[in-house]
């Protein structure tokens, strides 16, 4: 079974530039998550999708971050404009059912904002 | 939301059992106890989860206290590949995970 795919794996940009990350979840997984993990900390949930609808985006900085999940499959996370404090690893995960089923994580995208 | 308390770090000798503790005194009846681990430069990896009864799988065992206010992840024979940060997380159905800082496990050859 193929795992969660993410691209790119690494990205370096300057502050105020824009960046986008892509995620392809495990086939059949209805729930998709984006996490931000700052060095030395545990992952923090940014947004949770159920199919193509948003379930929870309470911790997403909506003035600069946006996410979508077209057709309930792939998802993109965008940052515009980026700030220095956005430097982190962005993780995508998916699960069959939120809460009771395991979440499967992708390898993450390491973003460096200069 | 109920939170968990874990030691910052632990050490174990290779091929010996490891018991990773987690306290969750404010757990609610609908919270599942999940354990994930994260190897360096990788995304978190699911280890095990349970609600009330002890659970076993090929990776580990999960021992849940009778009052559910604590749990222990048991690795039966630690290997060098088990060196990772282990997260104990509570989650109710439909709710999000709150990862803490976890326990960094060092396995000594």
């Amino acid at each position: 079974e193929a795992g969660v795919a993410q691209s790119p794996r690494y990205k370096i940009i300057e502050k105020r530039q824009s960046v986008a990350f892509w995620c392809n979840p495990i086939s059949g997984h209805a729930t998709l998550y984006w996490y931000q993990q700052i060095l030395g900390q545990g992952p923090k949930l940014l947004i949770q999708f159920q199919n193509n609808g948003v379930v929870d985006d309470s911790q997403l900085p909506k003035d600069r971050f946006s996410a979508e999940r077209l057709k309930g499959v792939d998802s993109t996370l965008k940052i515009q404009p980026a700030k220095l404090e956005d430097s982190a690893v962005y993780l995508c995960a998916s699960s069959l059912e939120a809460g009771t089923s395991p979440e499967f994580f992708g390898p993450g995208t390491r973003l460096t904002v200069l | 939301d109920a939170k968990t308390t874990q030691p910052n770090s632990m050490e174990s000798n290779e091929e010996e059992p490891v018991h990773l503790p987690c306290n969750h005194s404010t757990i609610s009846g609908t919270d599942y106890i999940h354990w994930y681990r994260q190897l360096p430069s990788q995304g978190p990896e699911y280890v095990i989860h349970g609600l009330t009864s002890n659970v076993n799988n090929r990776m580990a065992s999960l021992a849940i206290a009778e009052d559910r206010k604590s749990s222990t992840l048991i690795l039966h024979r630690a290997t060098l590949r088990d060196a990772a940060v282990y997260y104990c997380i509570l989650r109710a159905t439909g709710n999000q995970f709150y990862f803490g800082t976890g326990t960094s496990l060092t396995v000594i050859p």
Side-chain angles (χ1 to χ4, degrees):
Chain A
E1 178 182 87
V4 176
Q6 290 188 248
S7 68
R9 291 296 311 277
Y10 304 92
K11 190 74 178 178
I12 300 173
I13 62 173
E14 294 190 350
K15 60 183 178 182
R16 291 189 289 274
Q17 285 187 324
S18 302
V19 65
F21 313 126
W22 174 82
C23 172
N24 179 240
I26 293 174
S27 177
H29 281 194
T31 311
L32 184 146
Y33 315 81
W34 283 101
Y35 289 85
Q36 179 193 59
Q37 185 170 25
I38 294 172
L39 188 65
Q41 299 180 18
K44 182 186 81 171
L45 181 72
L46 292 176
I47 189 167
Q48 175 183 339
F49 291 94
Q50 182 71 22
N51 296 310
N52 61 350
V54 175
V55 173
D56 184 350
D57 63 357
S58 57
Q59 298 194 77
L60 187 74
K62 299 180 187 63
D63 58 333
R64 298 184 300 106
F65 286 64
S66 64
E68 61 181 6
R69 189 182 184 195
L70 299 177
K71 301 180 181 178
V73 182
D74 293 3
S75 177
T76 56
L77 176 69
K78 297 179 181 178
I79 307 175
Q80 181 180 11
K83 293 185 176 181
L84 297 177
E85 58 261 36
D86 298 333
S87 294
V89 175
Y90 291 84
L91 296 160
C92 178
S94 69
S95 69
L96 279 172
E97 181 179 348
T100 56
S101 303
E103 290 187 19
F104 294 89
F105 285 78
T109 297
R110 181 176 298 278
L111 173 67
T112 301
V113 182
L114 302 175
Chain B
D1 298 285
K3 298 296 190 291
T4 63
T5 303
Q6 299 177 254
N8 288 333
S9 62
M10 290 185 64
E11 287 187 351
S12 173
N13 293 320
E14 194 176 11
E15 299 189 2
E16 290 187 356
V18 183
H19 291 234
L20 296 165
C22 181
N23 288 320
H24 29 79
S25 59
T26 59
I27 190 171
S28 71
T30 56
D31 283 335
Y32 282 78
I33 302 163
H34 292 251
W35 283 83
Y36 283 74
R37 72 180 185 181
Q38 188 170 22
L39 280 67
S41 301
Q42 296 187 23
E45 175 188 27
Y46 168 78
V47 178
I48 201 166
H49 78 289
L51 184 61
T52 56
S53 303
N54 294 344
V55 184
N56 300 296
N57 65 22
R58 62 177 180 82
M59 289 183 70
S61 295
L62 175 60
I64 302 173
E66 196 169 333
D67 63 5
R68 300 209 326 127
K69 293 185 176 181
S70 66
S71 60
T72 302
L73 178 71
I74 303 166
L75 307 179
H76 296 287
R77 287 183 69 220
T79 69
L80 296 179
R81 294 188 302 172
D82 291 324
V85 177
Y86 287 78
Y87 296 98
C88 168
I89 307 159
L90 302 182
R91 187 172 187 176
T93 302
N95 291 346
Q96 61 170 270
F97 279 129
Y98 285 98
F99 286 82
T101 52
T103 296
S104 179
L105 175 66
T106 300
V107 180
I108 302 168

